[in-house]
Amino acid sequence: MDDPRPALVIAGLALALAANAQALAQAPGSAESRIRQSESRPLDQARDDERQAREWNLRAEEWSRYRALMQGPLGTYSPGLDPLTALGIEARSDQERRRYAELQVQAEARRVEKTLSYQRAYDAAWERLHPGQERVSLQGVQGMQADTSKAGMPGAAEPGRIAVFVKDGCAPCNQRALQLQAAGTAFDVYVVGSRGDDDRIRRWATQAGIDPARVRARTITLNHDGGRWLSLGLPGDLPAVVREVGGQWQRQ
């Protein structure tokens, strides 16, 4: 009688190879799986772009142009610039410029209304939970609060008010702000390159010696530049003290 053991060994090896092949085919790292994942990435990116474009009331091609602009000099000089400001600065016609300006005004109005609604709810909660106690600023750090509710170009809330454009690590910027503060001048500070980070503005204000009481009283406001300095197109380096005169922004 023939020995059955070699046949059993061969059959076992065949079953093991089949099982391994099936496992490899189903594994997340398999070639087929990797192909599916690579194919899904562009689709996911397209859906994300479409969603973000809708949030800014932009068309898909406008969002693509914004992304391309931020890969160039504009993104280098003003990182974190919002889509409407970026597209408005780089508008190719007066019609485009008007469109983006109107979209930005509408977006700012909605944002400010949400901020004010929450501020009212916060004030009511404070009075309810801590009646008679001194109010604490929502974002206050040593009395410093970056003003993120001010819409439009600098000085829009008060025509003729001085706007001061500064940047971090600029000793002349600190000196100019202190001179205006010592003179009792009311002015709005715009920190270029703040990247939307309130803490950057607070650190600048602390280093520059800005009086927290003046900030609380809003005779001095602290703001993100948000591309405003670039949009003014004025010559010269920072610091820049500007004022609106006859509808035109001029260095002082």
Side-chain angles (χ1 to χ4, degrees):
M1 180 179 293
D2 295 335
D3 189 350
R5 285 179 294 179
L8 290 174
V9 170
I10 293 172
L13 287 173
L15 288 172
L17 289 172
N20 286 338
Q22 184 177 7
L24 287 171
Q26 295 175 350
S30 67
E32 184 179 353
S33 176
R34 288 195 296 271
I35 292 172
R36 285 199 300 268
Q37 288 176 3
S38 64
E39 289 175 346
S40 69
R41 289 193 191 101
L43 182 60
D44 292 342
Q45 182 65 58
R47 288 173 177 169
D48 186 58
D49 287 349
E50 183 181 355
R51 176 185 59 79
Q52 294 189 74
R54 281 199 308 269
E55 290 177 353
W56 290 94
N57 288 325
L58 294 172
R59 296 184 289 270
E61 59 270 22
E62 291 175 309
W63 183 260
S64 296
R65 183 163 187 264
Y66 161 67
R67 291 184 61 188
L69 287 171
M70 295 308 289
Q71 295 298 316
L74 183 64
T76 300
Y77 287 115
S78 300
L81 204 58
D82 69 88
L84 299 178
T85 299
L87 290 169
I89 291 172
E90 296 293 335
R92 294 163 293 190
S93 67
D94 291 341
Q95 182 178 2
E96 275 193 354
R97 193 172 293 106
R98 277 195 306 273
R99 166 176 162 74
Y100 297 130
E102 290 174 0
L103 286 174
Q104 187 155 30
V105 167
Q106 294 167 4
E108 289 284 356
R110 289 192 296 270
R111 183 179 64 81
V112 169
E113 179 54 37
K114 289 178 181 179
T115 301
L116 293 176
S117 295
Y118 183 65
Q119 183 67 57
R120 288 190 289 268
Y122 177 88
D123 292 344
W126 184 271
E127 290 298 332
R128 185 170 60 253
L129 298 174
H130 304 286
Q133 294 187 27
E134 183 179 358
R135 187 72 50 82
V136 176
S137 170
L138 279 174
Q139 302 180 44
V141 175
Q142 298 179 347
M144 300 293 185
Q145 179 172 353
D147 182 3
T148 57
S149 65
K150 192 168 184 177
M153 291 299 295
E158 296 183 31
R161 183 167 167 134
I162 286 176
V164 183
F165 290 89
V166 301
K167 61 184 177 181
D168 197 18
C170 169
C173 297
N174 300 357
Q175 294 169 3
R176 192 70 180 98
L178 283 178
Q179 289 172 356
L180 292 169
Q181 177 175 269
T185 306
F187 59 96
D188 303 313
V189 175
Y190 290 84
V191 181
V192 178
S194 64
R195 301 185 181 183
D197 184 349
D198 289 355
D199 286 337
R200 285 175 179 259
I201 295 183
R202 296 189 188 104
R203 285 195 298 270
W204 175 87
T206 300
Q207 293 167 2
I210 299 297
D211 184 358
R214 297 283 303 276
V215 177
R216 287 193 293 269
R218 296 186 64 77
T219 57
I220 298 175
T221 68
L222 305 174
N223 310 272
H224 298 292
D225 166 63
R228 290 177 174 87
W229 170 243
L230 186 63
S231 69
L232 292 180
L234 295 174
D237 202 356
L238 302 179
V241 179
V242 303
R243 189 195 300 268
E244 188 178 17
V245 179
Q248 298 292 325
W249 288 92
Q250 301 176 2
R251 293 188 75 127
Q252 303 296 297

